[in-house]
Amino acid sequence: MEDSSACSSTVAALPRASFLQRTLERLSSAQCLRVTAEGAAAAPVGVVALQRYLSEKPEGLDSYSYDITVTDGVWRAKCLLHPSLNGLVHSNTLRTGGDVDITQCSYVYDERVLGHGYICVEELRCGAGRSALLSRVKDAGSLPMLVRRGVEGSVALRRDAPLQVSRKHYLSLWNNDDPEGDIWTSGCSSDTVLDVSKVTLLCSLESCFRKTCTPLPLLVKILHKAKLRYYGKFGLKIDYPYQAYFEVADQSGTMSLVLWNDRCPEFYQSLSVGTVLYIQNYTLKQSYSNRTRPQMDHHRMKSFNSVEICLNPRNLVSLLTVVSPKRVLPQWRLPEVRYQFVTRSELENVSHNSACDVIGLVTFVGRVERVKNKSNTGPEKHWTYRWIHAVDGTSALPFVLEVFSSSQPEVFSRICPMTYLVCTQMRVRHVEGSLPYLTSSCETETFITGRHKGQPYVSDPGVKRFIQWTKTLEDNVVLQKTAVGGHYCYPRPPREFSQSLEDAETQAPLVAASDLKKELDTLHYREHKKVAIQGHITAVRYMKSSQTSRGTEEKEVRDVSTDAREHAVPDTHTRPSAAEQTPTASSTSASPERISANGRKRSNPTRKDTKSSLNRVNAAAKRRHKDSEEGQKQEEEEEERDSASEEARAVECRQQMPNPDSDVMSWESSSWPKQRQEVSEHLVRGGLCRDSVSRRFTFEEKNVLLQQSSLQPARWTAERDADIPPVLCPGYYRVTILGINKQMAVDAAYVPVLSSDEPGAVGLPQDPHGNTMLSCLSSGFLCPLRDTASNCESTLPEPEELLATAAELEDTHVVCVLDLCHLGGDEMEVLISKVYRVTEVSLD
């Protein structure tokens, strides 16, 4: 990754002033090897790269170290980030593409290696927003690397390797599953003429196990490929602690093959399903019984599961040859790769935990999130995943897919609407109260438009039927039903809340309100967690978010006209058919029409009485003259002004910054004013963040939308500095929950589903309810949902009508399920997923 030729460049070659150069000169002359830069001495530098690897020794609770590459526009410098600053990376406060002020750094020599040393950044300040310095840099990789005299030969500074030389490679910044760096080669097939006259069959290997003789070569085809497994830990003296499983077959049956350690960077990228291998000098060992395996009954072949083939880089050095497809001969009798594609109409009849393959046209792609692997016994790690909807024309319902990273980062980050998605070896999940969905297994692979060519499944009858169906579609029609990003969580919480072990997979853990702050403080960037707390809802306010491209902005909510909603939806243009799309045709988002409570004008005879029952800012003053003639006249005048300027307010919703003096429609319990003074802590986290709202997809904004819904990149490129399109946020409710012991309160946002077009409407139990505040919080939607396809405008209650029913929340003991997600920096998402009355709680 680094330009090795730049490392030998001399300081004299560049006459311009350089902060990094001055800093290195001071470190070279300072006897203490540490300098501080305050005031004018500190200058901003842009963060070009952040690279993670397993630490040489654990530092507190953190198992990883970070190398940071910065530039001042003249030089680049690769530095070690002091462990005390790791938390800034965990929260994505320190990120690529931003500016930092380095206020203290030191120079560290590796005493065990001659000619190796590096700068350690000990203190810094992170700038807000994008880097002003990097906006003037076209290609940071072309800038020379700054190296101290005497250590120009340092290998770690010359190439893509960690500064702490006991580690040989980097890990992906946000998970341990994806290959990262130049060590992962993508070799090519061999055209060498092979001597296959002396090969053995898989069926004979079980009898060879534990014998001293070297087994004959193998000629096999790959039927399944699993994702990488990183098993690095402290004290392990292995440079590349990786493992990857493949299921291979010949005419006699199937067996597992394992790539170990150095063999993974060398071969993993070049091995795919359908690849034919000629294997020599392999070893056999007893199979690991507790690992997951792909379901292979549909291949109708015998499986040999007692032993597995191991390819190691040392001892008996294994030899692996990837056979060119044109060299594969029919007389080898290698089996065909088979699939078990399931259509959406068939999914309900597929049993729980069964494996299947699916193909569909993507209509929704959620943002990439992370979840902590609690069962991991080594250094802590996160899994990355995203939710996807895909349709195949056999049902009005989409596939709901929970797709985890499958060691295919170039595919995972590019999944977007309007692409054809294939997912293999997905596991079916049936959950009470929700539609069945599919989740990844360790053997799942994903493929998108542009990567289907040459894959064995292209000749499958199910795939051919799907392609024929897509030729009947019109892109501009499909585009209206697409969405990208935003909060999404599936399956919905069950109808009844319980703490039984049987429901551990679907139930949120019940935590004390006093522990909620710890839950929030320990979240890492884009880490999602679901928790439940019990208590009382003491206040509800209806807020409206302005159209914004940054952060959370709120203002008073009133009606928004249909005209405003139509302006929020981008015009679609004539495009090639879905079948003719390019591999990058991608993702968009959902319903900006999820505004105010219905986004339309209508006559409501009870509206005046409803509004007068609401608490507002300065509510006490209004109540004093509520029944007076003057007060009634003032309210009538306000109603007339509201109706006359409705359209103007719709435009203001999209353009104006929040007005801190505006009234906010709200309800609060009679006891809350006193209780508010007595709580020990009130977590005010109930705003609606920019990344919480899904967006309608357009081809023009594809790359920017992909960037926004993906994780922060480990390396900065100029293309990533594109402006994020503004989003028209819907109205939402800010709900205050007081813990059952009345010591801790928390604000959470509640965004009801309003339309059947929204991603959150899929699988939502839509039993009719009374549209009270409590029934909406319990169900998650307003009744009945709008159905844009039928052009039927349903009559939904206005926010003030819902709030007029909030009195039933008074002193009601509830359990609230909260979705928590760290969105980076100081943005924390706290959303209400469901509210249970105590009558809906099981104590078994």
Side-chain angles (χ1 to χ4, degrees), residues 714-754:
R715 289 178 174 82
W716 172 85
T717 58
E719 306 86 70
R720 300 199 66 94
D721 268 352
D723 289 325
I724 292 181
V727 58
L728 183 57
C729 296
Y732 70 96
Y733 296 86
R734 175 176 284 184
V735 179
T736 301
I737 307 164
L738 179 64
I740 193 66
N741 286 315
K742 305 186 186 329
Q743 297 299 306
M744 172 73 73
V746 61
D747 287 349
Y750 168 65
V751 185
V753 176
L754 305 180

mmCIF file of all heavy atoms in Angstrom, residues 714-754:
data_model
loop_
_atom_site.group_PDB
_atom_site.id
_atom_site.type_symbol
_atom_site.label_atom_id
_atom_site.label_comp_id
_atom_site.label_asym_id
_atom_site.label_seq_id
_atom_site.Cartn_x
_atom_site.Cartn_y
_atom_site.Cartn_z
ATOM 1 N N ALA A 714 -11.138 2.409 6.069
ATOM 2 C CA ALA A 714 -9.827 2.413 6.712
ATOM 3 C C ALA A 714 -8.851 3.334 5.996
ATOM 4 O O ALA A 714 -7.859 3.766 6.576
ATOM 5 C CB ALA A 714 -9.259 0.995 6.763
ATOM 6 N N ARG A 715 -9.124 3.630 4.714
ATOM 7 C CA ARG A 715 -8.248 4.500 3.930
ATOM 8 C C ARG A 715 -9.067 5.599 3.277
ATOM 9 O O ARG A 715 -10.157 5.361 2.763
ATOM 10 C CB ARG A 715 -7.502 3.698 2.854
ATOM 11 C CG ARG A 715 -6.430 2.779 3.414
ATOM 12 C CD ARG A 715 -5.758 1.979 2.302
ATOM 13 N NE ARG A 715 -4.641 1.208 2.798
ATOM 14 C CZ ARG A 715 -4.755 0.025 3.395
ATOM 15 N NH1 ARG A 715 -5.941 -0.509 3.564
ATOM 16 N NH2 ARG A 715 -3.684 -0.622 3.820
ATOM 17 N N TRP A 716 -8.507 6.810 3.286
ATOM 18 C CA TRP A 716 -9.177 7.948 2.657
ATOM 19 C C TRP A 716 -8.862 7.999 1.175
ATOM 20 O O TRP A 716 -7.727 7.749 0.760
ATOM 21 C CB TRP A 716 -8.716 9.238 3.325
ATOM 22 C CG TRP A 716 -9.213 10.473 2.613
ATOM 23 C CD1 TRP A 716 -10.414 11.087 2.768
ATOM 24 C CD2 TRP A 716 -8.499 11.221 1.620
ATOM 25 N NE1 TRP A 716 -10.506 12.167 1.932
ATOM 26 C CE2 TRP A 716 -9.347 12.283 1.217
ATOM 27 C CE3 TRP A 716 -7.234 11.093 1.032
ATOM 28 C CZ2 TRP A 716 -8.959 13.211 0.258
ATOM 29 C CZ3 TRP A 716 -6.846 12.019 0.079
ATOM 30 C CH2 TRP A 716 -7.701 13.062 -0.294
ATOM 31 N N THR A 717 -9.876 8.299 0.396
ATOM 32 C CA THR A 717 -9.680 8.608 -1.015
ATOM 33 C C THR A 717 -10.488 9.851 -1.321
ATOM 34 O O THR A 717 -11.501 10.137 -0.669
ATOM 35 C CB THR A 717 -10.147 7.458 -1.929
ATOM 36 O OG1 THR A 717 -11.533 7.184 -1.671
ATOM 37 C CG2 THR A 717 -9.322 6.209 -1.704
ATOM 38 N N ALA A 718 -10.061 10.585 -2.327
ATOM 39 C CA ALA A 718 -10.714 11.844 -2.655
ATOM 40 C C ALA A 718 -12.177 11.639 -3.042
ATOM 41 O O ALA A 718 -13.018 12.504 -2.796
ATOM 42 C CB ALA A 718 -9.958 12.542 -3.786
ATOM 43 N N GLU A 719 -12.493 10.476 -3.620
ATOM 44 C CA GLU A 719 -13.872 10.237 -4.059
ATOM 45 C C GLU A 719 -14.836 10.175 -2.889
ATOM 46 O O GLU A 719 -16.029 10.364 -3.054
ATOM 47 C CB GLU A 719 -13.963 8.928 -4.844
ATOM 48 C CG GLU A 719 -13.004 8.800 -6.022
ATOM 49 C CD GLU A 719 -11.648 8.270 -5.610
ATOM 50 O OE1 GLU A 719 -11.546 7.088 -5.247
ATOM 51 O OE2 GLU A 719 -10.696 9.064 -5.636
ATOM 52 N N ARG A 720 -14.327 9.897 -1.691
ATOM 53 C CA ARG A 720 -15.215 9.730 -0.544
ATOM 54 C C ARG A 720 -15.607 11.055 0.078
ATOM 55 O O ARG A 720 -16.302 11.086 1.075
ATOM 56 C CB ARG A 720 -14.556 8.835 0.507
ATOM 57 C CG ARG A 720 -14.229 7.448 0.014
ATOM 58 C CD ARG A 720 -14.034 6.501 1.166
ATOM 59 N NE ARG A 720 -15.263 6.293 1.903
ATOM 60 C CZ ARG A 720 -16.120 5.300 1.690
ATOM 61 N NH1 ARG A 720 -15.885 4.440 0.731
ATOM 62 N NH2 ARG A 720 -17.205 5.189 2.404
ATOM 63 N N ASP A 721 -15.150 12.159 -0.500
ATOM 64 C CA ASP A 721 -15.486 13.451 0.063
ATOM 65 C C ASP A 721 -16.725 14.066 -0.570
ATOM 66 O O ASP A 721 -16.993 15.240 -0.408
ATOM 67 C CB ASP A 721 -14.311 14.427 -0.104
ATOM 68 C CG ASP A 721 -13.397 14.409 1.114
ATOM 69 O OD1 ASP A 721 -13.780 13.770 2.102
ATOM 70 O OD2 ASP A 721 -12.336 15.023 1.067
ATOM 71 N N ALA A 722 -17.493 13.275 -1.298
ATOM 72 C CA ALA A 722 -18.697 13.806 -1.918
ATOM 73 C C ALA A 722 -19.716 14.192 -0.850
ATOM 74 O O ALA A 722 -19.767 13.602 0.232
ATOM 75 C CB ALA A 722 -19.296 12.765 -2.865
ATOM 76 N N ASP A 723 -20.515 15.212 -1.159
ATOM 77 C CA ASP A 723 -21.530 15.660 -0.218
ATOM 78 C C ASP A 723 -22.621 14.616 -0.073
ATOM 79 O O ASP A 723 -23.079 14.017 -1.058
ATOM 80 C CB ASP A 723 -22.151 16.980 -0.683
ATOM 81 C CG ASP A 723 -21.187 18.140 -0.542
ATOM 82 O OD1 ASP A 723 -20.397 18.123 0.426
ATOM 83 O OD2 ASP A 723 -21.211 19.041 -1.389
ATOM 84 N N ILE A 724 -23.069 14.414 1.160
ATOM 85 C CA ILE A 724 -24.170 13.492 1.411
ATOM 86 C C ILE A 724 -25.474 14.225 1.121
ATOM 87 O O ILE A 724 -25.681 15.343 1.598
ATOM 88 C CB ILE A 724 -24.136 12.993 2.866
ATOM 89 C CG1 ILE A 724 -22.912 12.097 3.048
ATOM 90 C CG2 ILE A 724 -25.417 12.263 3.226
ATOM 91 C CD1 ILE A 724 -22.767 11.526 4.414
ATOM 92 N N PRO A 725 -26.349 13.660 0.336
ATOM 93 C CA PRO A 725 -27.584 14.357 -0.001
ATOM 94 C C PRO A 725 -28.432 14.613 1.233
ATOM 95 O O PRO A 725 -28.452 13.798 2.160
ATOM 96 C CB PRO A 725 -28.280 13.395 -0.967
ATOM 97 C CG PRO A 725 -27.695 12.060 -0.668
ATOM 98 C CD PRO A 725 -26.283 12.314 -0.243
ATOM 99 N N PRO A 726 -29.130 15.745 1.270
ATOM 100 C CA PRO A 726 -29.991 16.035 2.428
ATOM 101 C C PRO A 726 -31.151 15.061 2.481
ATOM 102 O O PRO A 726 -31.553 14.477 1.481
ATOM 103 C CB PRO A 726 -30.466 17.465 2.170
ATOM 104 C CG PRO A 726 -30.376 17.617 0.696
ATOM 105 C CD PRO A 726 -29.195 16.804 0.258
ATOM 106 N N VAL A 727 -31.672 14.896 3.670
ATOM 107 C CA VAL A 727 -32.784 13.965 3.861
ATOM 108 C C VAL A 727 -33.939 14.705 4.514
ATOM 109 O O VAL A 727 -33.738 15.539 5.395
ATOM 110 C CB VAL A 727 -32.366 12.759 4.736
ATOM 111 C CG1 VAL A 727 -31.865 13.190 6.090
ATOM 112 C CG2 VAL A 727 -33.530 11.782 4.897
ATOM 113 N N LEU A 728 -35.122 14.428 4.045
ATOM 114 C CA LEU A 728 -36.314 15.002 4.651
ATOM 115 C C LEU A 728 -36.770 14.055 5.744
ATOM 116 O O LEU A 728 -37.376 13.032 5.481
ATOM 117 C CB LEU A 728 -37.412 15.193 3.605
ATOM 118 C CG LEU A 728 -38.692 15.861 4.112
ATOM 119 C CD1 LEU A 728 -38.377 17.224 4.711
ATOM 120 C CD2 LEU A 728 -39.695 16.000 2.995
ATOM 121 N N CYS A 729 -36.427 14.360 6.979
ATOM 122 C CA CYS A 729 -36.745 13.475 8.093
ATOM 123 C C CYS A 729 -38.236 13.529 8.399
ATOM 124 O O CYS A 729 -38.877 14.557 8.231
ATOM 125 C CB CYS A 729 -35.960 13.883 9.335
ATOM 126 S SG CYS A 729 -34.184 13.724 9.177
ATOM 127 N N PRO A 730 -38.793 12.444 8.865
ATOM 128 C CA PRO A 730 -40.204 12.445 9.246
ATOM 129 C C PRO A 730 -40.382 13.081 10.617
ATOM 130 O O PRO A 730 -39.425 13.359 11.323
ATOM 131 C CB PRO A 730 -40.531 10.957 9.300
ATOM 132 C CG PRO A 730 -39.245 10.334 9.718
ATOM 133 C CD PRO A 730 -38.161 11.141 9.049
ATOM 134 N N GLY A 731 -41.618 13.284 10.962
ATOM 135 C CA GLY A 731 -41.888 13.643 12.342
ATOM 136 C C GLY A 731 -41.701 12.418 13.217
ATOM 137 O O GLY A 731 -41.788 11.287 12.752
ATOM 138 N N TYR A 732 -41.406 12.649 14.469
ATOM 139 C CA TYR A 732 -41.225 11.522 15.387
ATOM 140 C C TYR A 732 -41.583 11.962 16.794
ATOM 141 O O TYR A 732 -41.766 13.155 17.081
ATOM 142 C CB TYR A 732 -39.786 11.001 15.337
ATOM 143 C CG TYR A 732 -38.768 11.952 15.934
ATOM 144 C CD1 TYR A 732 -38.331 11.809 17.250
ATOM 145 C CD2 TYR A 732 -38.254 13.005 15.181
ATOM 146 C CE1 TYR A 732 -37.412 12.686 17.789
ATOM 147 C CE2 TYR A 732 -37.334 13.882 15.713
ATOM 148 C CZ TYR A 732 -36.915 13.719 17.012
ATOM 149 O OH TYR A 732 -36.006 14.593 17.555
ATOM 150 N N TYR A 733 -41.703 10.986 17.671
ATOM 151 C CA TYR A 733 -42.076 11.253 19.062
ATOM 152 C C TYR A 733 -40.861 11.050 19.957
ATOM 153 O O TYR A 733 -40.153 10.051 19.835
ATOM 154 C CB TYR A 733 -43.203 10.315 19.506
ATOM 155 C CG TYR A 733 -44.485 10.520 18.735
ATOM 156 C CD1 TYR A 733 -44.688 9.872 17.516
ATOM 157 C CD2 TYR A 733 -45.489 11.352 19.216
ATOM 158 C CE1 TYR A 733 -45.858 10.060 16.791
ATOM 159 C CE2 TYR A 733 -46.665 11.539 18.503
ATOM 160 C CZ TYR A 733 -46.843 10.894 17.285
ATOM 161 O OH TYR A 733 -48.002 11.083 16.570
ATOM 162 N N ARG A 734 -40.646 12.016 20.834
ATOM 163 C CA ARG A 734 -39.598 11.860 21.845
ATOM 164 C C ARG A 734 -40.283 11.434 23.137
ATOM 165 O O ARG A 734 -41.100 12.171 23.697
ATOM 166 C CB ARG A 734 -38.830 13.161 22.044
ATOM 167 C CG ARG A 734 -37.807 13.079 23.162
ATOM 168 C CD ARG A 734 -36.986 14.340 23.287
ATOM 169 N NE ARG A 734 -35.990 14.414 22.221
ATOM 170 C CZ ARG A 734 -35.086 15.381 22.137
ATOM 171 N NH1 ARG A 734 -35.055 16.352 23.032
ATOM 172 N NH2 ARG A 734 -34.204 15.382 21.150
ATOM 173 N N VAL A 735 -39.932 10.244 23.596
ATOM 174 C CA VAL A 735 -40.609 9.622 24.736
ATOM 175 C C VAL A 735 -39.658 9.585 25.921
ATOM 176 O O VAL A 735 -38.517 9.126 25.797
ATOM 177 C CB VAL A 735 -41.068 8.190 24.377
ATOM 178 C CG1 VAL A 735 -41.761 7.533 25.560
ATOM 179 C CG2 VAL A 735 -41.977 8.217 23.153
ATOM 180 N N THR A 736 -40.120 10.059 27.063
ATOM 181 C CA THR A 736 -39.322 10.014 28.289
ATOM 182 C C THR A 736 -39.771 8.834 29.134
ATOM 183 O O THR A 736 -40.956 8.715 29.473
ATOM 184 C CB THR A 736 -39.464 11.312 29.094
ATOM 185 O OG1 THR A 736 -39.028 12.411 28.285
ATOM 186 C CG2 THR A 736 -38.622 11.260 30.357
ATOM 187 N N ILE A 737 -38.832 7.951 29.466
ATOM 188 C CA ILE A 737 -39.111 6.755 30.270
ATOM 189 C C ILE A 737 -38.432 6.918 31.615
ATOM 190 O O ILE A 737 -37.212 7.146 31.685
ATOM 191 C CB ILE A 737 -38.587 5.495 29.574
ATOM 192 C CG1 ILE A 737 -39.117 5.413 28.140
ATOM 193 C CG2 ILE A 737 -38.972 4.246 30.366
ATOM 194 C CD1 ILE A 737 -38.359 4.437 27.270
ATOM 195 N N LEU A 738 -39.190 6.796 32.669
ATOM 196 C CA LEU A 738 -38.657 6.866 34.032
ATOM 197 C C LEU A 738 -38.520 5.451 34.569
ATOM 198 O O LEU A 738 -39.472 4.673 34.559
ATOM 199 C CB LEU A 738 -39.595 7.688 34.927
ATOM 200 C CG LEU A 738 -39.198 7.841 36.401
ATOM 201 C CD1 LEU A 738 -37.885 8.620 36.531
ATOM 202 C CD2 LEU A 738 -40.297 8.532 37.197
ATOM 203 N N GLY A 739 -37.312 5.099 35.005
ATOM 204 C CA GLY A 739 -37.073 3.764 35.542
ATOM 205 C C GLY A 739 -37.996 3.440 36.692
ATOM 206 O O GLY A 739 -38.487 4.332 37.398
ATOM 207 N N ILE A 740 -38.225 2.157 36.915
ATOM 208 C CA ILE A 740 -39.213 1.720 37.898
ATOM 209 C C ILE A 740 -38.889 2.210 39.303
ATOM 210 O O ILE A 740 -39.776 2.433 40.121
ATOM 211 C CB ILE A 740 -39.356 0.174 37.861
ATOM 212 C CG1 ILE A 740 -40.592 -0.295 38.620
ATOM 213 C CG2 ILE A 740 -38.094 -0.496 38.377
ATOM 214 C CD1 ILE A 740 -41.890 0.144 37.995
ATOM 215 N N ASN A 741 -37.583 2.423 39.578
ATOM 216 C CA ASN A 741 -37.189 2.943 40.884
ATOM 217 C C ASN A 741 -37.083 4.463 40.913
ATOM 218 O O ASN A 741 -36.623 5.038 41.904
ATOM 219 C CB ASN A 741 -35.855 2.332 41.324
ATOM 220 C CG ASN A 741 -36.017 0.882 41.752
ATOM 221 O OD1 ASN A 741 -36.957 0.554 42.479
ATOM 222 N ND2 ASN A 741 -35.124 0.015 41.297
ATOM 223 N N LYS A 742 -37.457 5.100 39.818
ATOM 224 C CA LYS A 742 -37.582 6.560 39.725
ATOM 225 C C LYS A 742 -36.265 7.303 39.995
ATOM 226 O O LYS A 742 -36.269 8.457 40.434
ATOM 227 C CB LYS A 742 -38.686 7.073 40.666
ATOM 228 C CG LYS A 742 -40.039 6.414 40.435
ATOM 229 C CD LYS A 742 -41.122 7.041 41.275
ATOM 230 C CE LYS A 742 -42.455 6.335 41.181
ATOM 231 N NZ LYS A 742 -42.781 5.682 39.930
ATOM 232 N N GLN A 743 -35.147 6.634 39.707
ATOM 233 C CA GLN A 743 -33.847 7.269 39.882
ATOM 234 C C GLN A 743 -33.200 7.678 38.560
ATOM 235 O O GLN A 743 -32.372 8.565 38.523
ATOM 236 C CB GLN A 743 -32.895 6.321 40.631
ATOM 237 C CG GLN A 743 -33.345 5.977 42.033
ATOM 238 C CD GLN A 743 -33.450 7.212 42.903
ATOM 239 O OE1 GLN A 743 -32.490 7.987 43.028
ATOM 240 N NE2 GLN A 743 -34.620 7.417 43.503
ATOM 241 N N MET A 744 -33.584 7.006 37.490
ATOM 242 C CA MET A 744 -32.970 7.243 36.193
ATOM 243 C C MET A 744 -34.066 7.416 35.144
ATOM 244 O O MET A 744 -35.052 6.689 35.134
ATOM 245 C CB MET A 744 -32.077 6.059 35.817
ATOM 246 C CG MET A 744 -31.519 6.090 34.409
ATOM 247 S SD MET A 744 -30.226 7.302 34.174
ATOM 248 C CE MET A 744 -28.877 6.505 35.074
ATOM 249 N N ALA A 745 -33.876 8.400 34.271
ATOM 250 C CA ALA A 745 -34.804 8.618 33.164
ATOM 251 C C ALA A 745 -34.005 8.643 31.866
ATOM 252 O O ALA A 745 -32.822 8.990 31.851
ATOM 253 C CB ALA A 745 -35.569 9.923 33.350
ATOM 254 N N VAL A 746 -34.661 8.270 30.793
ATOM 255 C CA VAL A 746 -34.007 8.278 29.483
ATOM 256 C C VAL A 746 -35.007 8.735 28.434
ATOM 257 O O VAL A 746 -36.196 8.416 28.504
ATOM 258 C CB VAL A 746 -33.453 6.875 29.125
ATOM 259 C CG1 VAL A 746 -34.557 5.841 29.054
ATOM 260 C CG2 VAL A 746 -32.675 6.919 27.810
ATOM 261 N N ASP A 747 -34.537 9.507 27.469
ATOM 262 C CA ASP A 747 -35.355 9.903 26.325
ATOM 263 C C ASP A 747 -35.066 8.963 25.167
ATOM 264 O O ASP A 747 -33.900 8.649 24.887
ATOM 265 C CB ASP A 747 -35.043 11.332 25.894
ATOM 266 C CG ASP A 747 -35.600 12.366 26.862
ATOM 267 O OD1 ASP A 747 -36.395 11.983 27.737
ATOM 268 O OD2 ASP A 747 -35.238 13.550 26.739
ATOM 269 N N ALA A 748 -36.096 8.528 24.491
ATOM 270 C CA ALA A 748 -35.947 7.659 23.329
ATOM 271 C C ALA A 748 -36.856 8.159 22.220
ATOM 272 O O ALA A 748 -37.922 8.727 22.485
ATOM 273 C CB ALA A 748 -36.291 6.211 23.686
ATOM 274 N N ALA A 749 -36.429 7.972 20.984
ATOM 275 C CA ALA A 749 -37.243 8.382 19.839
ATOM 276 C C ALA A 749 -38.161 7.232 19.440
ATOM 277 O O ALA A 749 -37.793 6.065 19.503
ATOM 278 C CB ALA A 749 -36.347 8.774 18.672
ATOM 279 N N TYR A 750 -39.353 7.601 19.013
ATOM 280 C CA TYR A 750 -40.307 6.619 18.498
ATOM 281 C C TYR A 750 -40.787 7.102 17.138
ATOM 282 O O TYR A 750 -41.310 8.207 17.003
ATOM 283 C CB TYR A 750 -41.489 6.439 19.450
ATOM 284 C CG TYR A 750 -42.630 5.651 18.839
ATOM 285 C CD1 TYR A 750 -42.458 4.316 18.499
ATOM 286 C CD2 TYR A 750 -43.862 6.254 18.592
ATOM 287 C CE1 TYR A 750 -43.496 3.593 17.923
ATOM 288 C CE2 TYR A 750 -44.912 5.536 18.025
ATOM 289 C CZ TYR A 750 -44.717 4.203 17.694
ATOM 290 O OH TYR A 750 -45.736 3.493 17.115
ATOM 291 N N VAL A 751 -40.564 6.265 16.113
ATOM 292 C CA VAL A 751 -40.968 6.611 14.742
ATOM 293 C C VAL A 751 -41.967 5.562 14.277
ATOM 294 O O VAL A 751 -41.575 4.457 13.898
ATOM 295 C CB VAL A 751 -39.757 6.662 13.789
ATOM 296 C CG1 VAL A 751 -40.191 7.143 12.407
ATOM 297 C CG2 VAL A 751 -38.662 7.562 14.343
ATOM 298 N N PRO A 752 -43.261 5.860 14.304
ATOM 299 C CA PRO A 752 -44.237 4.850 13.880
ATOM 300 C C PRO A 752 -44.178 4.615 12.377
ATOM 301 O O PRO A 752 -43.831 5.504 11.599
ATOM 302 C CB PRO A 752 -45.578 5.475 14.287
ATOM 303 C CG PRO A 752 -45.336 6.949 14.263
ATOM 304 C CD PRO A 752 -43.906 7.130 14.703
ATOM 305 N N VAL A 753 -44.494 3.406 11.968
ATOM 306 C CA VAL A 753 -44.610 3.083 10.554
ATOM 307 C C VAL A 753 -45.948 3.638 10.054
ATOM 308 O O VAL A 753 -46.990 3.424 10.681
ATOM 309 C CB VAL A 753 -44.545 1.560 10.332
ATOM 310 C CG1 VAL A 753 -44.768 1.211 8.865
ATOM 311 C CG2 VAL A 753 -43.199 1.021 10.814
ATOM 312 N N LEU A 754 -45.912 4.370 8.947
ATOM 313 C CA LEU A 754 -47.110 5.003 8.412
ATOM 314 C C LEU A 754 -47.584 4.400 7.095
ATOM 315 O O LEU A 754 -48.755 4.511 6.759
ATOM 316 C CB LEU A 754 -46.858 6.502 8.192
ATOM 317 C CG LEU A 754 -46.361 7.310 9.395
ATOM 318 C CD1 LEU A 754 -46.161 8.751 8.993
ATOM 319 C CD2 LEU A 754 -47.338 7.196 10.548
#
